[in-house]
Amino acid sequence: MRLPRREAMKSALKTIRFYALRTAAYLLPALGLAVMIKYHYSRAGSEDLRWILSPTTRVVELFSGIRFVEELHAGFISRGHGIVIAPACAGVNFLIVAFGVAIVSGLRHIKTIALRMAWLPAALACAYVMTIFVNAIRIVVSIYSYEARLFSSWIDPARLHLIEGVVIYSFFLIVFYRIIEAGLCRAERRAPAISDEKQSASAGMTATLPLFCYLTVTLLIPFLKGAASRDARVAEYGAIVLAASCVVELFFCPRVAWRWLSDRVKRRTSDEK
């Protein structure tokens, strides 16, 4: 009996090694691309980021009707409205997160290494287009919310800008993930789950996984790099990001939110009795 068991163990280890190597061959180039984009962004000026600032500005002009003029070392400026679309508004971090979400979705649905490698540039292109569209929406919302004076004594313009950004980025990141999932499911000719339990689990996955990637880039990585020790406002920033992203997740998972709320009501009722 020992020989078959040993052979089975060898076969299992060989299979695990095969899948691990195939996964690494797909994920490592994707990680390398993400690191290169982040490195470029950390050292780039407005001229170096024209590849994303320029199309984003054109979409903002289309949505808002506000005209912008490019100025060296500053970005795109509308002097009449006092608006600057600078490198900080480029949305490169969202691009990296969207690219990571598309890569994870490809890992789940694409089985052959050749198709996975072909999916890498396609995922980056999809993330790039989505970033320009979503970032333009975020900028337009920020412009009009500031002009409408929606902020108050406890929500200053900086906090309002942060909340708007988190809500918009989180919302469209989940939408982007659902679009990618639907497209890849259709490509592999697999029908989505239709049972209530599987639909609920699928809804939770499509909301949780993109937000996990988003929170990893916006909170976890800066925390591991020591951002909390350099800036005392990181705790407030993290609380706002977590709260806003959780609200967006509950919007996409109403059954989860309703179940949590009903459980709390039942627990309070039983305690009062």
Side-chain angles (χ1 to χ4, degrees):
M1 293 295 293
R2 290 183 179 178
L3 185 59
R5 185 179 299 176
R6 185 175 300 174
E7 292 297 327
M9 288 290 293
K10 287 183 179 179
S11 177
L13 290 174
K14 186 176 180 180
T15 302
I16 293 173
R17 190 182 302 115
F18 170 76
Y19 282 106
L21 290 174
R22 192 172 68 170
T23 302
Y26 170 68
L27 291 181
L28 288 179
L31 179 62
L33 278 173
V35 171
M36 288 171 59
I37 294 172
K38 183 66 176 180
Y39 180 83
H40 168 72
Y41 176 59
S42 65
R43 287 161 172 75
S46 60
E47 291 79 18
D48 302 316
L49 294 172
R50 289 191 81 257
W51 56 274
I52 193 168
L53 285 177
S54 180
T56 300
T57 303
R58 302 310 166 214
V59 178
V60 171
E61 290 178 339
L62 179 64
F63 288 168
S64 65
I66 301 172
R67 307 305 299 176
F68 290 84
V69 177
E70 184 178 8
E71 291 198 10
L72 292 177
H73 313 300
F76 293 83
I77 299 177
S78 172
R79 296 195 179 276
H81 290 77
I83 304 167
V84 179
I85 302 179
C89 307
V92 174
N93 286 332
F94 180 84
L95 169 64
I96 294 171
V97 177
F99 175 60
V101 164
I103 289 299
V104 172
S105 184
L107 181 64
R108 295 181 62 228
H109 295 282
I110 303 174
K111 304 305 178 184
T112 64
I113 188 63
L115 289 177
R116 284 181 175 179
M117 299 309 293
W119 174 241
L120 285 176
L124 185 58
C126 292
Y128 175 71
V129 173
M130 190 68 177
T131 299
I132 292 172
F133 173 75
V134 174
N135 201 34
I137 291 178
R138 181 189 66 84
I139 293 172
V140 171
V141 170
S142 298
I143 291 172
Y144 286 114
S145 65
Y146 185 82
E147 290 183 349
R149 302 289 177 178
L150 296 180
F151 48 86
S152 62
S153 58
W154 61 281
I155 300 183
D156 58 17
R159 289 192 183 97
L160 180 62
H161 183 72
L162 174 60
I163 293 171
E164 290 170 346
V166 174
V167 170
I168 291 172
Y169 281 155
S170 300
F171 178 86
F172 281 102
L173 195 62
I174 295 173
V175 171
F176 177 68
Y177 181 67
R178 289 192 172 187
I179 293 173
I180 294 294
E181 284 280 299
L184 291 179
C185 283
R186 187 170 183 176
E188 63 178 347
R189 297 176 182 177
R190 181 169 63 84
I194 57 174
S195 67
D196 290 341
E197 292 184 0
K198 289 185 177 181
Q199 280 185 346
S200 179
S202 177
M205 172 65 74
T206 56
T208 303
L209 195 148
L211 290 183
F212 174 78
C213 296
Y214 177 71
L215 294 176
T216 298
V217 172
T218 57
L219 292 183
L220 182 59
I221 293 178
F223 177 79
L224 294 177
K225 292 172 65 176
S229 61
R230 296 192 300 267
D231 193 344
R233 296 172 297 178
V234 170
E236 178 187 350
Y237 170 83
I240 293 174
V241 171
L242 282 173
S245 58
C246 286
V247 170
V248 173
E249 180 172 9
L250 292 178
F251 173 82
F252 281 93
C253 303
R255 291 183 181 180
V256 176
W258 175 252
R259 190 180 301 117
W260 177 83
L261 182 60
S262 61
D263 290 343
R264 292 295 298 270
V265 171
K266 290 179 181 178
R267 190 178 305 169
R268 178 170 295 183
T269 304
S270 61
D271 292 341
E272 291 177 356
K273 292 180 179 180

